[in-house]
Amino acid sequence: PLAVELARSGATVRVEAGETVLHAVRNLVPSAPSSCEQGWCGTCETRVLDGEPDHRDRVLTEGERESGDTMMICVSRARSERLVLDL
Ligand code: FES
């Protein structure tokens, strides 16, 4: 499973295979915003402080994907075993 650290609280959540990062994060941050939950609206965009996102959205440009500074947590996952999010 992927480990996602929430920088503002220091808590870490496990994201199981087949679970979205958004779903796992909501256990600790119920207010995390989302709308389409299919990777096209941009509502769930979250800053990435560490780790390498595996982008699966249709919102970010190629340059934004490469920078890895932000991700759509409703669909995207990680290439690294750990992500640190600004949540
Ligand atoms: Fe729409 Fe994630 S909720 S892109």
Side-chain angles (χ1 to χ4, degrees):
L2 166 66
V4 174
E5 184 178 328
L6 308 178
R8 296 181 200 177
S9 63
T12 298
V13 293
R14 279 166 54 109
V15 184
E16 303 295 340
E19 182 182 24
T20 66
V21 173
L22 175 67
H23 182 265
V25 160
R26 280 243 169 97
N27 290 325
L28 290 175
V29 187
S31 61
S34 75
S35 180
C36 74
E37 301 196 3
Q38 293 176 40
W40 51 261
C41 76
T43 305
C44 67
E45 184 168 5
T46 300
R47 288 216 314 138
V48 178
L49 303 179
D50 198 14
E52 193 186 346
D54 179 9
H55 299 290
R56 299 183 186 182
D57 64 277
R58 283 176 274 165
V59 177
L60 295 177
T61 64
E62 206 50 48
E64 287 170 330
R65 275 170 213 285
E66 276 165 27
S67 78
D69 290 339
T70 179
M71 68 185 284
M72 303 306 146
I73 61 172
C74 67
V75 289
S76 297
R77 300 186 70 82
R79 293 206 175 92
S80 50
E81 289 180 355
R82 184 170 160 275
L83 283 176
V84 181
L85 299 181
D86 185 18
L87 280 174

